[in-house]
Amino acid sequence: MSKKEYEWIDGAELLPHTAQKLRVLGSYFDEYLRVRCMIPQQSVFRLAIVDGFAGGGRYSKGEAGSPLVFIETLRQVVADLKVIRAANGMAPLTVRCRLILNDAKPEVADRLQSNVAPVLAAIKDEVKELVIECKILSRPFEEVYPEIKTDLQNGNFRNVLFNLDQCGHKLVMRETIEDILNTFRSSEVFLTFMVQTLLTFLQKTDPDGLLRQLRH
């Protein structure tokens, strides 16, 4: 089955459908934070973000990929919340985030590290109310998921968001999604797959072949 992967090292172009997808992701995450961080007596909000197919962080013209959409949204919302909560007589709030970024290709993970490091350093100096602990991994998502799960359980994270923007439609198993939702008390999963590729290669006249294609 053919599939198109982003060439991060040579400079991945940000295509219109991906740009729209990132806008949706950023908008949802912005609202998620604002809703979850408005309890008046709340002083700390802890969450974990797992970007299972993170890519290189920036596209060819410097546009933010999903890891930086998460980071930049965190920075902006936490800064806004500081003002909003103070104006409404609410307790000061610190947001603590475990950010796990994974890409199966080591060279892409290295590019990702170089793109996120300066942004994280600036946040550490500029936004004291936001603490991001970032870990970058480089293995196939299904292979690395048990390690990620154990890490988050050991850290007692209950608020967990998984962004699983796979290339194609076979890199994330249904059982893994079920395990995420059953393991963490407040978990959300963004699962992306290529609908047209799936439809194009479906073996519609072969019931057994169709079952094999869709079993995962």
Side-chain angles (χ1 to χ4, degrees):
M1 180 178 294
S2 64
K3 62 180 181 181
K4 181 178 179 180
E5 297 183 358
Y6 278 107
E7 296 298 333
W8 291 100
I9 302 305
D10 297 329
E13 178 185 0
L14 179 60
L15 300 175
H17 70 278
T18 301
Q20 177 62 18
K21 179 171 55 181
L22 291 170
R23 283 192 290 270
V24 171
L25 179 66
S27 177
Y28 182 90
F29 186 50
D30 181 291
E31 186 67 12
Y32 170 90
L33 291 170
R34 293 178 191 275
V35 169
R36 298 300 304 275
C37 295
M38 287 303 290
I39 300 173
Q41 299 81 15
Q42 188 178 22
S43 61
V44 177
F45 179 65
R46 298 177 73 248
L47 79 157
I49 300 169
V50 179
D51 202 336
F53 304 84
R58 289 197 184 278
Y59 291 88
S60 58
K61 296 181 180 179
E63 306 99 323
S66 55
L68 286 165
V69 168
F70 283 121
I71 293 170
E72 292 171 356
T73 302
L74 275 164
R75 173 162 58 181
Q76 184 60 56
V77 173
V78 170
D80 290 349
L81 287 172
K82 180 180 180 180
V83 176
I84 294 170
R85 291 178 67 90
N88 288 277
M90 301 166 72
L93 178 71
T94 297
V95 174
R96 297 185 177 275
C97 176
R98 174 78 58 84
L99 179 63
I100 299 177
L101 308 175
N102 178 70
D103 192 275
K105 295 183 177 180
E107 66 274 18
V108 175
D110 290 342
R111 175 66 63 90
L112 176 61
Q113 174 69 49
S114 67
N115 280 325
V116 302
V119 182
L120 293 174
I123 288 174
K124 187 174 181 180
D125 292 335
E126 298 167 7
V127 188
K128 303 299 184 183
E129 296 80 12
L130 174 58
V131 180
I132 300 177
E133 179 188 351
C134 182
K135 177 186 291 188
I136 295 180
L137 305 173
S138 183
R139 285 153 61 193
F141 175 73
E142 284 290 338
E143 178 183 315
V144 79
Y145 170 68
E147 176 184 324
I148 293 173
K149 174 183 174 179
T150 299
D151 184 4
L152 298 184
Q153 287 178 311
N154 289 342
N156 197 29
F157 284 94
R158 299 179 179 180
N159 305 301
V160 178
L161 193 155
F162 278 76
N163 183 43
L164 303 179
D165 189 2
Q166 61 185 319
C167 182
H169 63 274
K170 290 188 173 182
L171 301 182
V172 181
M173 305 301 288
R174 184 187 67 186
E175 290 82 5
T176 302
I177 303 298
E178 293 174 347
D179 190 71
I180 291 170
L181 298 176
N182 289 326
T183 298
F184 303 102
R185 189 178 71 179
S186 178
S187 56
E188 305 201 20
V189 179
F190 296 101
L191 177 66
T192 306
F193 60 92
M194 295 183 179
V195 176
Q196 189 57 54
T197 301
L198 174 63
L199 295 178
T200 298
F201 290 95
L202 279 181
Q203 300 182 42
K204 303 180 181 71
T205 60
D206 177 1
D208 293 334
L210 182 64
L211 181 60
R212 286 193 299 272
Q213 282 182 294
L214 299 180
R215 181 176 291 119
H216 68 281

